[in-house]
Amino acid sequence: MTFAAVPPPTVTRVRAMIRADLARRLALEGRPPTFARILGVLPRPGGAAVVLFRVNQLLHARGLRLLSKLAELVMFYWARVEIHPGAQIGAGLVLPDVGGVGIPAFARIGERCTLTGPALLTIGGMEGVDLAKDRIVLGDDCVLGPGVRILGAVVLADGTQVKANAVVITSATRPGTVLAGVPARRRGSLPLGAIRQWNPLRGEPLSGASSVPPKPETASAIA
Amino acid sequence: MKQSVRQTLQLIAEDLGWRCAYEHKAKGRLAFLKMLANPGALCVVCYRWQVFFDSHRLTPLGGLIRLFSLVAFAVSIDSRAEIAGGLVIIHANAVYISERVRIGPQCILFHQNWIGLSPFPQDDAAPARQGPTIGARAIFGAGACAVGPITIGDDCKIGVNAAVETSFPDGAVAFGVPARQVAKT
């Protein structure tokens, strides 16, 4: 898998991403994305974490390591969310208020993904994984239920739904798969079109915000 | 319906009293005061006042209290959840209770319990969207989740890290991901 094609974050792109994230969060809560509402979401841990992560990406890309670490610390103490600024996450990310989220630098997440509770994505401890090239890949419109753990270089296709407390150690390459259990197995599937239709902010133009997450490739690269 | 100060204090007394009973401590004012140094007890007290302020249309104050309990303890309890007296949160860490959840008296929660509406978009479209309804004296192990429109009976025990997605009768002991009934008390 190659991940070289991602453009570096710029101020305009980061701003558009933040707007998309907060607007999607409000849409999930059934509220209009007015300016006052967006301001109201900002102090809440989920909203603050998303904003800090996006700003942190900018600091990280500009090489301001000390400020970037500081932002990471603030994010951890305010929201109990640890996301490495090197992680590539598409627009429309929603993080939980209660925290407990860990996303490493080698994760790559598509657009309009929802994390609903404590979740951990990690490669650590898995054998036969090359940190230089292997990634954890989540496609667009994925939903991770509370308490989900994703271990190893796993590829989850678009619209994958992981149920509560599942431990995912194998890839799901078919779009719209529903995963559950320890270890997670396929428990059904949903049409991708319907998932996209249900997911808020579908097709809203995000000027300059497209991070172009790749179509998840086959699992051949998984060790 | 407005919740009076007296009712709020009564609910708090029930919560702290049940916590005393669970921890085998003598009830009393001193014990209650000591408990306020305990994050688990404090976040329950925060929740009761949150409901009080919300019912008096002082929603910003309720929101501030919720923000405090989120940032200080990472505990998020929606004030629209209907929780009877005697709620005990043993470890205040990443506990989430959403709206449209009903919990009976003397429920015991540990850390990372997630009780709420289904986060998945296909359930979003369901006409009558409901969260879990939990009977009296339920005990949730650490990391246990209850998701979606389910009913859990009285005296149920939900095991550590169980993911409850189906209903259970009175006295069931549920374990596993997804949870199955393994015993009956």
Side-chain angles (χ1 to χ4, degrees):
Chain A
M1 276 177 261
T2 55
F3 293 95
V6 176
T10 60
V11 174
T12 40
R13 194 178 297 128
V14 161
R15 202 186 293 156
M17 291 266 226
I18 290 176
R19 205 174 297 141
D21 294 338
L22 298 180
R24 180 153 181 274
R25 192 195 153 104
L26 284 169
L28 282 179
E29 291 174 1
R31 291 176 173 155
T34 58
F35 184 68
R37 294 277 190 202
I38 287 180
L39 271 189
V41 162
L42 274 183
R44 288 167 59 183
V50 155
V51 172
L52 280 167
F53 164 67
R54 298 293 184 199
V55 173
N56 202 354
Q57 272 194 316
L58 201 62
L59 300 175
H60 187 74
R62 299 271 161 96
L64 302 165
R65 291 295 151 88
L66 196 67
L67 275 178
S68 154
K69 271 280 167 248
L70 202 67
E72 235 176 301
L73 264 183
V74 172
M75 186 159 84
F76 177 72
Y77 282 114
W78 193 262
R80 290 158 178 89
V81 167
E82 282 186 283
I83 308 180
H84 194 278
Q88 291 157 2
I89 303 182
L93 173 74
V94 172
L95 290 173
D97 277 345
V98 289
V101 172
I103 300 177
F106 33 77
R108 186 169 178 138
I109 299 177
E111 295 184 356
R112 299 177 301 281
C113 284
T114 315
L115 275 66
T116 53
L120 177 69
L121 284 65
T122 183
I123 287 184
M126 299 300 280
E127 286 179 10
V129 173
D130 180 8
L131 286 185
K133 64 178 189 355
D134 289 341
R135 297 286 185 274
I136 299 175
V137 181
L138 270 66
D140 296 347
D141 306 287
C142 286
V143 182
L144 302 189
V148 166
R149 272 82 176 126
I150 298 179
L151 306 177
V154 167
V155 179
L156 301 183
D158 289 358
T160 303
Q161 301 191 341
V162 189
K163 295 273 186 187
N165 280 348
V167 177
V168 182
I169 52 171
T170 46
S171 297
T173 45
R174 219 181 298 171
T177 311
V178 178
L179 297 172
V182 181
R185 296 217 170 77
R186 190 167 164 274
R187 295 288 157 99
S189 72
L190 293 156
L192 190 58
I195 293 175
R196 291 232 160 109
Q197 208 185 344
W198 290 322
N199 208 358
L201 284 195
R202 175 71 199 148
E204 178 166 301
L206 306 165
S207 50
S210 71
S211 68
V212 202
K215 288 283 149 268
E217 291 145 41
T218 50
S220 59
I222 307 302
Chain B
M1 198 185 77
K2 278 188 183 178
Q3 183 180 311
S4 66
V5 178
R6 175 179 274 255
Q7 278 169 331
T8 310
L9 290 175
Q10 208 171 353
L11 282 169
I12 290 173
E14 275 178 45
D15 295 334
L16 298 183
W18 181 239
R19 194 189 174 91
C20 282
Y22 182 77
E23 292 180 345
H24 302 292
K25 282 178 186 160
K27 255 198 244 178
R29 280 198 186 153
L30 188 66
F32 285 4
L33 270 180
K34 268 189 197 164
M35 262 185 188
L36 294 184
N38 187 324
L42 196 53
C43 64
V44 172
V45 173
C46 280
Y47 160 71
R48 296 296 179 199
W49 285 112
Q50 194 183 308
V51 174
F52 169 78
F53 287 124
D54 270 22
S55 76
H56 286 265
R57 295 201 184 160
L58 294 164
T59 330
L61 260 177
L64 270 182
I65 293 178
R66 187 172 182 189
L67 186 63
F68 166 73
S69 88
L70 264 172
V71 174
F73 318 120
V75 170
S76 170
I77 307 179
D78 199 296
S79 37
R80 285 164 293 180
E82 293 168 34
I83 305 179
L87 175 70
V88 174
I89 298 179
I90 303 287
H91 299 143
N93 179 352
V95 173
Y96 174 84
I97 301 175
S98 83
E99 56 183 318
R100 290 182 232 179
V101 171
R102 259 179 264 147
I103 298 181
Q106 305 186 336
C107 175
I108 294 174
L109 303 180
F110 282 77
H111 52 274
Q112 304 206 336
N113 286 141
W114 202 98
I115 301 169
L117 301 169
S118 168
F120 299 103
Q122 67 273 25
D123 306 324
D124 223 13
R129 213 161 168 246
Q130 270 297 333
T133 304
I134 296 163
R137 297 173 296 280
I139 299 181
F140 279 73
C145 302
V147 181
I150 57 170
T151 309
I152 298 175
D154 295 347
D155 300 292
C156 275
K157 294 195 175 80
I158 313 294
V160 171
N161 236 41
V164 182
E165 285 158 7
T166 47
S167 297
F168 286 99
D170 290 357
V173 180
F175 229 105
V177 182
R180 290 197 187 86
Q181 187 172 340
V182 293
K184 201 164 161 57
T185 49

